[in-house]
Amino acid sequence: MTDASPPRPVIILVEPQLAENIGMTARAMGNFGLDALRIVNPKGGWPMKGVRETASNATHVLDGATIYATVAEALADLHYVLATTARERGQMKRVFGPDGGMAEAAGRLSAGERVGVLFGRERVGLSNDEVSLADAIVTFPVDPQHASLNLAQSVLLVAYEWRRAAGQAVLPFSGGLRSGPAPREAVISLFESLEADLDAAGYYPPAKRDGMIRNMRDMFHRMAMTEQDVRSFRGALRALARRPPEE
């Protein structure tokens, strides 16, 4: 993390069992600019065989991961903790969606607090006692008929909302125009060329010519043509003009 980077939340995995889930968690974190991973008592020890294969180019997250024996130890230096859960726990805690939770996290991080997000085991999630160590809950607005989320999917949703809350959700490219808007002189010249060619082809019924020309000009204006658009149309007209007449 460079000096210019905003502070970011810590992702804490509790007793993850599958190496591929940890690897995909690292990949999800890397996708959205998170790199602080803590793992509590990983099943099978650490590092796990095969964990790097699913991390894609986010192996730096795995290389920097820290291992803890208990949840309490993993949370000890944090000021604010969010626990993710799909089930209502009967605990008097604020409940956020991932967007609201990450907005809260962003505000606290900006104020100098250290924030963590706690994720449970693949099969059973977090225990009630582990949830009780958190300040608030994050849950996901899933279809109740298909409520189960993979561990890495849950991390991905949180990481995505974190990037949005941090004001870093900038699209990597846009569909913006690569050519500037066509000047009116070029558009009118195109109209005149097109209309002359259509006249020569006998396209316009004499009684309807003026109205048809206006309608066609309006159609082109609605396209808000760029300079490249005008060049393309003029090239197409020249190609048609060079076409040999049919025998």
Side-chain angles (χ1 to χ4, degrees):
M1 181 166 57
T2 66
D3 293 339
S5 299
R8 293 172 276 190
V10 172
I11 298 299
I12 306 131
L13 307 183
V14 178
E15 297 185 350
Q17 196 165 16
L18 300 176
E20 54 265 35
N21 281 338
I22 302 174
M24 288 188 291
T25 288
R27 181 175 184 174
M29 291 172 63
N31 286 151
F32 297 104
L34 300 180
D35 59 7
L37 176 63
R38 300 181 183 185
I39 306 175
V40 178
N41 191 26
K43 296 303 182 183
W46 186 261
M48 288 184 180
K49 181 180 179 181
V51 71
R52 300 175 73 86
E53 281 75 2
T54 54
S56 189
N57 64 345
T59 53
H60 66 285
V61 176
L62 299 175
D63 293 337
T66 50
I67 308 302
Y68 295 83
T70 67
V71 173
E73 290 172 357
L75 306 183
D77 66 329
L78 303 178
H79 300 107
Y80 187 77
V81 176
L82 292 157
T84 60
T85 178
R87 306 190 308 276
E88 196 276 325
R89 301 303 185 106
Q91 299 186 25
M92 297 297 292
K93 296 182 184 293
R94 292 182 70 185
V95 177
F96 294 104
D99 51 350
M102 290 302 97
E104 180 76 11
R108 289 177 177 274
L109 285 159
S110 295
E113 296 185 34
R114 291 188 292 275
V115 175
V117 188
L118 196 59
F119 294 84
R121 302 155 188 83
E122 287 96 334
R123 291 187 61 192
V124 297
L126 297 168
S127 70
N128 285 338
D129 287 342
E130 289 161 348
V131 172
S132 74
L133 299 176
D135 298 278
I137 285 172
V138 168
T139 194
F140 303 96
V142 294
D143 183 337
Q145 301 301 315
H146 303 278
S148 177
L149 282 175
N150 173 271
L151 174 60
Q153 290 175 326
S154 300
V155 174
L156 181 75
L157 290 173
V158 166
Y160 169 71
E161 291 296 348
W162 156 251
R163 194 160 182 85
R164 292 183 63 212
Q168 296 181 318
V170 179
L171 297 178
F173 58 88
S174 72
L177 299 178
R178 297 186 180 183
S179 176
R184 191 47 44 100
E185 178 183 31
V187 175
I188 291 173
S189 176
L190 173 64
F191 290 162
E192 291 172 346
S193 296
L194 176 60
E195 290 153 12
D197 289 345
L198 292 174
D199 267 329
Y203 174 74
Y204 299 115
K208 297 181 179 180
R209 180 182 184 278
D210 291 347
M212 292 175 69
I213 285 175
R214 286 190 294 268
N215 288 341
M216 190 169 291
R217 289 187 176 193
D218 287 342
M219 178 181 69
F220 279 104
H221 284 311
R222 287 194 297 272
M223 293 172 58
M225 286 189 294
T226 67
E227 292 178 318
Q228 181 58 54
D229 293 335
V230 171
R231 288 194 293 269
S232 295
F233 274 113
R234 294 190 73 92
L237 292 175
R238 286 194 294 271
L240 288 173
R242 291 194 298 269
R243 187 180 63 178
E246 295 180 0
E247 295 182 358

